[in-house]
PDB file of all heavy atoms in Angstrom:
ATOM      1  N   ASP A 166      69.527 -43.948 -27.231  1.00  0.00           N
ATOM      2  CA  ASP A 166      69.241 -42.752 -26.453  1.00  0.00           C
ATOM      3  C   ASP A 166      68.546 -43.134 -25.153  1.00  0.00           C
ATOM      4  O   ASP A 166      67.585 -43.899 -25.148  1.00  0.00           O
ATOM      5  CB  ASP A 166      68.348 -41.822 -27.281  1.00  0.00           C
ATOM      6  CG  ASP A 166      68.170 -40.477 -26.602  1.00  0.00           C
ATOM      7  OD1 ASP A 166      68.827 -40.259 -25.574  1.00  0.00           O
ATOM      8  OD2 ASP A 166      67.373 -39.661 -27.104  1.00  0.00           O
ATOM      9  N   SER A 167      69.053 -42.575 -24.015  1.00  0.00           N
ATOM     10  CA  SER A 167      68.467 -42.917 -22.721  1.00  0.00           C
ATOM     11  C   SER A 167      67.084 -42.316 -22.538  1.00  0.00           C
ATOM     12  O   SER A 167      66.315 -42.771 -21.699  1.00  0.00           O
ATOM     13  CB  SER A 167      69.383 -42.436 -21.590  1.00  0.00           C
ATOM     14  OG  SER A 167      69.545 -41.031 -21.661  1.00  0.00           O
ATOM     15  N   GLY A 168      66.758 -41.276 -23.313  1.00  0.00           N
ATOM     16  CA  GLY A 168      65.435 -40.660 -23.216  1.00  0.00           C
ATOM     17  C   GLY A 168      65.302 -39.655 -22.095  1.00  0.00           C
ATOM     18  O   GLY A 168      64.224 -39.107 -21.885  1.00  0.00           O
ATOM     19  N   VAL A 169      66.401 -39.363 -21.334  1.00  0.00           N
ATOM     20  CA  VAL A 169      66.350 -38.407 -20.235  1.00  0.00           C
ATOM     21  C   VAL A 169      66.659 -37.023 -20.796  1.00  0.00           C
ATOM     22  O   VAL A 169      67.690 -36.815 -21.439  1.00  0.00           O
ATOM     23  CB  VAL A 169      67.354 -38.785 -19.131  1.00  0.00           C
ATOM     24  CG1 VAL A 169      67.307 -37.766 -18.005  1.00  0.00           C
ATOM     25  CG2 VAL A 169      67.045 -40.172 -18.613  1.00  0.00           C
ATOM     26  N   ARG A 170      65.759 -36.060 -20.550  1.00  0.00           N
ATOM     27  CA  ARG A 170      65.929 -34.701 -21.021  1.00  0.00           C
ATOM     28  C   ARG A 170      66.060 -33.768 -19.838  1.00  0.00           C
ATOM     29  O   ARG A 170      65.386 -33.933 -18.818  1.00  0.00           O
ATOM     30  CB  ARG A 170      64.747 -34.269 -21.887  1.00  0.00           C
ATOM     31  CG  ARG A 170      64.508 -35.138 -23.124  1.00  0.00           C
ATOM     32  CD  ARG A 170      63.330 -34.607 -23.907  1.00  0.00           C
ATOM     33  NE  ARG A 170      62.119 -34.574 -23.074  1.00  0.00           N
ATOM     34  CZ  ARG A 170      61.048 -33.846 -23.352  1.00  0.00           C
ATOM     35  NH1 ARG A 170      61.032 -33.065 -24.409  1.00  0.00           N
ATOM     36  NH2 ARG A 170      59.982 -33.888 -22.559  1.00  0.00           N
ATOM     37  N   VAL A 171      66.966 -32.785 -19.953  1.00  0.00           N
ATOM     38  CA  VAL A 171      67.173 -31.794 -18.902  1.00  0.00           C
ATOM     39  C   VAL A 171      67.165 -30.414 -19.535  1.00  0.00           C
ATOM     40  O   VAL A 171      67.435 -30.250 -20.715  1.00  0.00           O
ATOM     41  CB  VAL A 171      68.506 -32.028 -18.151  1.00  0.00           C
ATOM     42  CG1 VAL A 171      68.498 -33.356 -17.437  1.00  0.00           C
ATOM     43  CG2 VAL A 171      69.690 -31.985 -19.121  1.00  0.00           C
ATOM     44  N   ASN A 172      66.839 -29.388 -18.697  1.00  0.00           N
ATOM     45  CA  ASN A 172      66.894 -28.024 -19.175  1.00  0.00           C
ATOM     46  C   ASN A 172      68.243 -27.422 -18.848  1.00  0.00           C
ATOM     47  O   ASN A 172      69.156 -28.101 -18.407  1.00  0.00           O
ATOM     48  CB  ASN A 172      65.750 -27.193 -18.566  1.00  0.00           C
ATOM     49  CG  ASN A 172      65.809 -27.207 -17.049  1.00  0.00           C
ATOM     50  OD1 ASN A 172      66.750 -27.703 -16.445  1.00  0.00           O
ATOM     51  ND2 ASN A 172      64.786 -26.665 -16.419  1.00  0.00           N
ATOM     52  N   SER A 173      68.402 -26.103 -19.076  1.00  0.00           N
ATOM     53  CA  SER A 173      69.693 -25.460 -18.874  1.00  0.00           C
ATOM     54  C   SER A 173      70.125 -25.452 -17.421  1.00  0.00           C
ATOM     55  O   SER A 173      71.314 -25.375 -17.117  1.00  0.00           O
ATOM     56  CB  SER A 173      69.637 -24.024 -19.396  1.00  0.00           C
ATOM     57  OG  SER A 173      68.627 -23.294 -18.714  1.00  0.00           O
ATOM     58  N   VAL A 174      69.177 -25.508 -16.473  1.00  0.00           N
ATOM     59  CA  VAL A 174      69.526 -25.526 -15.053  1.00  0.00           C
ATOM     60  C   VAL A 174      69.937 -26.910 -14.595  1.00  0.00           C
ATOM     61  O   VAL A 174      70.665 -27.063 -13.626  1.00  0.00           O
ATOM     62  CB  VAL A 174      68.347 -25.001 -14.207  1.00  0.00           C
ATOM     63  CG1 VAL A 174      68.733 -24.833 -12.760  1.00  0.00           C
ATOM     64  CG2 VAL A 174      67.852 -23.684 -14.767  1.00  0.00           C
ATOM     65  N   GLY A 175      69.508 -27.968 -15.284  1.00  0.00           N
ATOM     66  CA  GLY A 175      69.827 -29.333 -14.902  1.00  0.00           C
ATOM     67  C   GLY A 175      68.642 -30.100 -14.366  1.00  0.00           C
ATOM     68  O   GLY A 175      68.784 -31.247 -13.950  1.00  0.00           O
ATOM     69  N   THR A 176      67.449 -29.498 -14.365  1.00  0.00           N
ATOM     70  CA  THR A 176      66.263 -30.191 -13.888  1.00  0.00           C
ATOM     71  C   THR A 176      65.804 -31.219 -14.919  1.00  0.00           C
ATOM     72  O   THR A 176      65.750 -30.934 -16.108  1.00  0.00           O
ATOM     73  CB  THR A 176      65.128 -29.190 -13.625  1.00  0.00           C
ATOM     74  OG1 THR A 176      65.597 -28.182 -12.718  1.00  0.00           O
ATOM     75  CG2 THR A 176      63.917 -29.890 -13.013  1.00  0.00           C
ATOM     76  N   ILE A 177      65.487 -32.439 -14.462  1.00  0.00           N
ATOM     77  CA  ILE A 177      65.066 -33.505 -15.362  1.00  0.00           C
ATOM     78  C   ILE A 177      63.633 -33.247 -15.808  1.00  0.00           C
ATOM     79  O   ILE A 177      62.743 -33.046 -14.994  1.00  0.00           O
ATOM     80  CB  ILE A 177      65.184 -34.875 -14.681  1.00  0.00           C
ATOM     81  CG1 ILE A 177      66.644 -35.149 -14.289  1.00  0.00           C
ATOM     82  CG2 ILE A 177      64.669 -35.984 -15.580  1.00  0.00           C
ATOM     83  CD1 ILE A 177      66.835 -36.457 -13.551  1.00  0.00           C
ATOM     84  N   LEU A 178      63.429 -33.227 -17.123  1.00  0.00           N
ATOM     85  CA  LEU A 178      62.097 -33.007 -17.686  1.00  0.00           C
ATOM     86  C   LEU A 178      61.373 -34.334 -17.838  1.00  0.00           C
ATOM     87  O   LEU A 178      62.005 -35.382 -18.021  1.00  0.00           O
ATOM     88  CB  LEU A 178      62.202 -32.328 -19.054  1.00  0.00           C
ATOM     89  CG  LEU A 178      62.898 -30.957 -19.063  1.00  0.00           C
ATOM     90  CD1 LEU A 178      63.018 -30.443 -20.482  1.00  0.00           C
ATOM     91  CD2 LEU A 178      62.141 -29.972 -18.206  1.00  0.00           C
ATOM     92  N   PRO A 179      60.035 -34.350 -17.749  1.00  0.00           N
ATOM     93  CA  PRO A 179      59.295 -35.616 -17.924  1.00  0.00           C
ATOM     94  C   PRO A 179      59.483 -36.165 -19.322  1.00  0.00           C
ATOM     95  O   PRO A 179      59.479 -35.419 -20.299  1.00  0.00           O
ATOM     96  CB  PRO A 179      57.835 -35.219 -17.646  1.00  0.00           C
ATOM     97  CG  PRO A 179      57.793 -33.744 -17.870  1.00  0.00           C
ATOM     98  CD  PRO A 179      59.142 -33.218 -17.476  1.00  0.00           C
ATOM     99  N   SER A 180      59.641 -37.487 -19.401  1.00  0.00           N
ATOM    100  CA  SER A 180      59.880 -38.124 -20.696  1.00  0.00           C
ATOM    101  C   SER A 180      58.580 -38.198 -21.492  1.00  0.00           C
ATOM    102  O   SER A 180      57.490 -38.306 -20.935  1.00  0.00           O
ATOM    103  CB  SER A 180      60.437 -39.536 -20.504  1.00  0.00           C
ATOM    104  OG  SER A 180      59.538 -40.315 -19.725  1.00  0.00           O
ATOM    105  N   ALA A 181      58.725 -38.131 -22.817  1.00  0.00           N
ATOM    106  CA  ALA A 181      57.561 -38.187 -23.688  1.00  0.00           C
ATOM    107  C   ALA A 181      56.993 -39.602 -23.712  1.00  0.00           C
ATOM    108  O   ALA A 181      57.735 -40.586 -23.687  1.00  0.00           O
ATOM    109  CB  ALA A 181      57.941 -37.762 -25.107  1.00  0.00           C
ATOM    110  N   PRO A 182      55.659 -39.766 -23.702  1.00  0.00           N
ATOM    111  CA  PRO A 182      55.072 -41.112 -23.709  1.00  0.00           C
ATOM    112  C   PRO A 182      55.395 -41.846 -25.000  1.00  0.00           C
ATOM    113  O   PRO A 182      55.375 -41.268 -26.081  1.00  0.00           O
ATOM    114  CB  PRO A 182      53.564 -40.853 -23.568  1.00  0.00           C
ATOM    115  CG  PRO A 182      53.376 -39.460 -24.082  1.00  0.00           C
ATOM    116  CD  PRO A 182      54.630 -38.706 -23.737  1.00  0.00           C
ATOM    117  N   LYS A 183      55.703 -43.150 -24.861  1.00  0.00           N
ATOM    118  CA  LYS A 183      56.015 -43.953 -26.031  1.00  0.00           C
ATOM    119  C   LYS A 183      54.727 -44.412 -26.710  1.00  0.00           C
ATOM    120  O   LYS A 183      53.745 -44.736 -26.036  1.00  0.00           O
ATOM    121  CB  LYS A 183      56.844 -45.175 -25.621  1.00  0.00           C
ATOM    122  CG  LYS A 183      58.198 -44.816 -25.043  1.00  0.00           C
ATOM    123  CD  LYS A 183      58.984 -46.071 -24.694  1.00  0.00           C
ATOM    124  CE  LYS A 183      60.348 -45.716 -24.140  1.00  0.00           C
ATOM    125  NZ  LYS A 183      61.130 -46.931 -23.795  1.00  0.00           N
TER     126      LYS A 183
END
Side-chain angles (χ1 to χ4, degrees):
D166 188 6
S167 60
V169 179
R170 301 181 302 161
V171 297
N172 58 8
S173 59
V174 188
T176 305
I177 299 177
L178 300 176
S180 58
K183 296 182 179 180

